Amino acid sequence: MRSRLLGLGAAVLVALSPAVPTASAAPATPSTTRAPSDFVALSDVDPTILQEIRYFTPHNFTGDPVDGYRAPMCILTREAAEGLHRAQLQFLLQGYSLKVYDCYRPQRAVNDFVAWAKRLDDQRMKAEFYTGVDKSNLFRDGYIAEQSGHSRGSTMDLTLVRLPARPTPPYVRGQRLVDCTAPQAKRFGDNSIDMGTGFDCFNTLAWPLDSRVQGQQLRNRVLLLNGLVQQGFAPYPYEWWHFTYKPERFPNIYFDFPVARSSLRR
């Protein structure tokens, strides 16, 4: 176990090292309707990767479908999608599948998050996603920001599901919410393997290297992290589910075309 923990720490340090931008990453004015040809639907690259696009649904920290998500689909730069495909091939051999919660995120969705964070009276989803955080501190604590790496197209939120995958129960508006840090058997019935918290959990327990995460939960995080780092993905030190393919195709551009098949060029 000690050697695996050391490997995890080394992977985080290496993966977070600065990357050299590609030649095609010059700043440009992004379209608000169509994606550049570099973007693809993940399902066209690897249809075996599961998709549960939470922001298309009301089951997210805002309590409503998020602006800009017109279809429950994952869009990424081609390099990022191909990296996930390579990782998926290895995970399938071990009896797991990747599942994405979010991929490319338009700037209008980020603006929607910002507007929600300023509505301090809207606490509908607090009992699941941010029980220990004062909503007035979401900007200060870094949970909400005015720009997101997701809008550049090479960042995604994802987990692992043991095969054969059991279905995730549907979320019903108004159902009783359970703290995202609760034991897996009590929180929302996501079919993910146990990572110690649910997705989008605004809590330090979601940090990949939080010392309170031990045993099988830690081994699951190590499995996900090592499999992705080997294929060129860098983890984010404050969310176990968040990874970015490096080097990014568009390191300086925040796109705003909607998440929809019609945004992609044929």
Side-chain angles (χ1 to χ4, degrees):
M1 171 61 80
R2 178 175 173 78
S3 63
R4 295 183 75 182
L5 290 176
L6 290 175
L8 174 60
V12 171
L13 291 175
V14 171
L16 291 178
S17 299
V20 178
T22 59
S24 61
T29 301
S31 169
T32 59
T33 57
R34 298 290 298 275
S37 59
D38 309 81
F39 283 82
V40 297
L42 176 62
S43 60
D44 291 345
V45 176
D46 192 324
T48 71
I49 296 176
L50 304 175
Q51 300 192 30
E52 186 180 318
I53 307 302
R54 289 283 187 89
Y55 300 139
F56 180 74
T57 80
H59 188 214
N60 63 73
F61 59 84
T62 74
D64 294 305
V66 177
D67 189 19
Y69 287 82
R70 298 181 185 173
M73 64 182 296
C74 171
I75 293 175
L76 290 168
T77 57
R78 180 171 295 280
E79 294 92 341
E82 291 174 347
L84 287 187
H85 170 63
R86 294 193 302 271
Q88 175 77 340
L89 293 177
Q90 297 305 309
F91 285 127
L92 289 174
L93 293 175
Q94 302 173 73
Y96 299 94
S97 173
L98 288 167
K99 180 177 78 170
V100 291
Y101 294 113
D102 190 37
C103 299
Y104 158 75
R105 181 185 306 164
Q107 182 61 45
R108 70 191 74 182
V110 179
N111 297 344
D112 203 4
F113 292 167
V114 170
W116 165 83
K118 293 178 179 178
R119 297 193 295 270
L120 299 182
D121 59 334
D122 184 351
Q123 305 272 338
R124 286 173 294 161
M125 305 301 284
K126 182 178 178 66
E128 179 174 352
F129 294 99
Y130 55 105
T131 56
V133 180
D134 188 321
K135 190 175 180 182
S136 64
N137 293 330
L138 291 180
F139 290 101
R140 185 200 69 183
D141 294 344
Y143 292 110
I144 300 293
E146 294 185 353
Q147 288 183 315
S148 169
H150 281 270
S151 302
R152 301 194 296 261
S154 295
T155 294
M156 69 291 306
D157 298 330
L158 71 176
T159 189
L160 286 172
V161 174
R162 189 180 298 277
L163 297 173
R166 58 183 175 83
T168 294
Y171 169 78
V172 179
R173 282 184 186 266
Q175 72 180 56
R176 187 178 71 89
L177 301 178
V178 178
D179 190 340
C180 56
T181 65
Q184 186 182 38
K186 295 183 178 181
R187 63 180 184 258
F188 178 75
D190 191 332
N191 60 2
S192 169
I193 59 177
D194 189 3
M195 296 294 189
T197 76
F199 166 62
D200 254 2
C201 192
F202 293 9
N203 191 290
T204 57
L205 197 64
W207 294 11
L209 294 177
D210 189 284
S211 61
R212 294 168 293 174
V213 178
Q214 297 293 327
Q216 189 60 51
Q217 295 173 341
L218 180 58
R219 289 190 289 273
N220 289 343
R221 291 187 183 190
V222 170
L223 177 66
L224 176 65
L225 187 146
N226 284 343
L228 290 172
V229 167
Q230 289 171 15
Q231 302 302 331
F233 293 88
Y236 180 57
Y238 305 116
E239 297 172 347
W240 60 257
W241 55 81
H242 180 124
F243 291 83
T244 300
Y245 188 78
K246 298 286 186 172
E248 292 185 67
R249 170 66 65 176
F250 300 104
N252 303 310
I253 306 175
Y254 297 84
F255 293 94
D256 191 36
F257 58 85
V259 177
R261 173 65 67 171
S262 60
S263 295
L264 299 175
R265 300 178 189 277
R266 298 183 184 278

